[in-house]
Amino acid sequence: MADPTVPPPPARPGTTPEDGPAVARTELGARLEADGALRLGPVRDALLGLHREVLMPQAYVRRSKPDETPPRWDLLDWAVAADREELLGLLYSGQSVSVQHEGEPILRRVPGPRSGGSMTAMSSTVGMTAGLLQRLDLRPGQRVLDIGAGAGVTAAVACAVAGDAGVVTVDRNPHVTAAARERLAALGYRPTAATGEGEDGGPAQRAYDRIFVSYAVTRVPPAWPEQLAPGGLALATLSTSSPSWPGLAVIARTGTGRLEAHVEAVELGHRPAHGGKQIFLNARFRKRIDAGAGAGESTHTTRTGPPPGAARGMWLALDHLHPGLVRDWSADRLVIGAPACGSWVTAGPDGAGGWTVTAHGPREIWTEIQETAARWQAAGSPASYRLHLEPDDEQWVSAGTGPAELSWPLTITPDPVPARQTASPHPYPYPAHHATQEKTT
């Protein structure tokens, strides 16, 4: 049975001025190209030709403030005339789009308000999705595994470029799988849509030319490299429970079958899958930091400032060597907190060529930053690190050689975080260019 909320794609999209989605697609494409997120090629053509209103005829818009509890949303519906303009703007804004609340059935939902709980499936920011898909170098005839179906955008692009016969999209939630299958079919695509654990890879243990993972992991599940065909490539966000400094695991199998892997320090990354840990700075914690020096705080000036944000390789190392830290990217100075113990540090120019550093709590975060920066520089200031995936499932990351080597192991639980800090239905919203996503589309 077809989903009555799914609008049929127009036979000739964009041929009339009244075609709102066509105009929105053109404007989105212009913004992505101006930002450098899109380049000429089949992925660009597939993304700009994609009818997002078909894949996401219903989507959530947040009505509550970032720190308001319980959070409140409205489920907008393309079939409701009063919702269409707002939904169109949301779908083609380029930002992430929430498509599932608390694991609910997605097809044939009743639109309206929702309160409490959390969003459990999302469509990622289009710019990040575009960059990763272009990095995969999709080609006709490839076998593509899309882990984390989300709203089906990634699978749709893979079908358009590689052909749907070789595309498999997997999600652990059967409602997400069912919606992706039906709505992709509405676009004329019929990939294999399966329900299963993403860490197990694709069904039937096939070999894939490309693997796209839409959520963050703390280490690489063995099934992913095992299912890479010779010449294959897999991409996945590799991170701790902090959303601030993601890494991109790039795993390739050469034509001779040898595995090569590294981790790049990147600006954008995915969020852990629903139920995974993610720490954040809540409103009360941020207010304490903003209040300035007080009891238990210390302030000093120094000529040595923090490494710039663009030194992502250093911050990635800090995140793994000293886990449990989160940065407030919206602040006009460096602000980093450790929610588990209440420590924080701030640093800003003092107007005389130096820096004013204020610290609080049992952790010496400023010292952790400076010591990590020194080790990172000694290792050659790497922007990427070797990723070691051993047959016995031992995994670690390294850069440099000899005494200057900078390395850390990848463990299943990289940092202990009290239960009260492990999850939030609405983590503190970082600026859009640093937002992490739960599901790539």
Side-chain angles (χ1 to χ4, degrees):
M1 179 178 177
D3 183 354
T5 66
V6 175
R12 297 180 61 197
T15 57
T16 67
E18 293 77 24
D19 187 359
V23 174
R25 285 192 294 276
T26 299
E27 293 175 347
L28 174 61
R31 293 196 301 272
L32 292 171
E33 290 175 338
D35 292 341
L38 273 183
R39 61 175 184 267
L40 293 177
V43 167
R44 172 191 178 278
D45 296 341
L47 273 174
L48 297 189
L50 182 63
H51 295 268
R52 295 173 65 84
E53 68 279 6
V54 174
L55 289 179
M56 293 172 280
Q58 293 181 319
Y60 285 97
V61 61
R62 190 185 184 94
R63 299 304 190 195
S64 56
K65 297 178 181 178
D67 293 300
E68 181 181 333
T69 57
R72 295 176 291 106
W73 297 273
D74 277 341
L75 179 62
L76 303 179
D77 192 327
W78 188 265
V80 178
D83 290 350
R84 191 166 297 179
E85 182 177 357
E86 185 176 11
L87 181 55
L88 185 67
L90 175 66
L91 296 180
Y92 290 95
S93 67
Q95 299 305 310
S96 61
V97 179
S98 298
V99 297
Q100 186 190 49
H101 177 253
E102 286 293 291
E104 67 187 341
I106 295 175
L107 297 173
R108 288 164 281 283
R109 291 174 293 188
V110 176
R114 306 288 195 273
S115 179
S118 62
M119 291 296 141
T120 49
M122 307 173 86
S123 165
S124 293
T125 57
V126 182
M128 180 172 67
T129 301
L132 292 171
L133 286 170
Q134 290 172 143
R135 180 76 175 267
L136 280 178
D137 189 24
L138 296 173
R139 299 180 184 181
Q142 287 177 332
R143 295 157 296 181
V144 181
L145 176 58
D146 171 41
I147 301 178
V153 174
T154 302
V157 173
C159 287
V161 178
D164 53 11
V167 176
V168 176
T169 184
V170 176
D171 200 280
R172 67 184 302 180
N173 187 296
H175 302 307
V176 172
T177 305
R181 181 185 298 113
E182 186 164 304
R183 292 170 177 177
L184 286 166
L187 289 173
Y189 300 130
R190 289 174 173 79
T192 298
T195 300
E197 293 295 332
E199 292 191 358
D200 296 333
Q205 301 296 305
R206 294 176 56 187
Y208 297 94
D209 302 302
R210 298 290 185 268
I211 298 177
F212 185 103
V213 183
S214 68
Y215 55 88
V217 292
T218 59
R219 64 201 318 270
V220 179
W224 298 351
E226 288 172 1
Q227 292 186 21
L228 269 183
L233 176 65
L235 300 177
T237 297
L238 188 69
S239 70
T240 67
S241 60
S242 172
S244 298
W245 304 288
L248 178 67
V250 181
I251 307 166
R253 190 172 293 280
T254 68
T256 60
R258 183 166 55 90
L259 202 64
E260 297 178 346
H262 67 274
V263 179
E264 299 174 6
V266 294
E267 184 178 17
L268 299 169
H270 293 113
R271 183 180 301 168
H274 180 60
K277 299 190 306 181
Q278 188 164 60
I279 57 176
F280 63 100
L281 304 181
N282 60 30
R284 183 178 178 183
F285 196 178
R286 299 199 309 275
K287 288 179 180 178
R288 294 210 318 265
I289 297 173
D290 291 341
E297 298 178 16
S298 63
T299 298
H300 71 276
T301 59
T302 176
R303 303 297 294 182
T304 303
R312 296 191 183 99
M314 195 292 302
W315 295 107
L316 179 66
L318 176 75
D319 187 31
H320 287 267
L321 295 172
H322 301 282
L325 301 176
V326 187
R327 179 167 180 174
D328 180 357
W329 290 101
S330 67
D332 59 1
R333 54 182 174 162
L334 178 76
V335 176
I336 295 177
C341 67
S343 300
W344 76 77
V345 69
T346 68
D350 65 1
W355 291 77
T356 298
V357 179
T358 300
H360 170 83
R363 284 187 64 167
E364 297 183 359
I365 300 175
W366 185 253
T367 299
E368 293 173 358
I369 293 172
Q370 296 301 330
E371 289 180 349
T372 303
R375 293 185 61 188
W376 174 70
Q377 291 169 351
S381 303
S384 66
Y385 296 81
R386 298 181 294 270
L387 174 57
H388 305 267
L389 305 174
E390 298 301 320
D392 60 359
D393 201 27
E394 184 180 2
Q395 300 183 14
W396 78 95
V397 172
S398 70
T401 58
E405 182 181 70
L406 178 60
S407 67
W408 59 84
L410 297 179
T411 59
I412 295 176
T413 53
D415 50 311
V417 181
R420 64 186 176 85
Q421 295 288 352
T422 61
S424 168
H426 47 91
Y428 178 64
Y430 298 93
H433 67 288
H434 280 101
T436 57
Q437 311 303 326
E438 179 172 326
K439 294 280 189 182
T440 284
T441 54

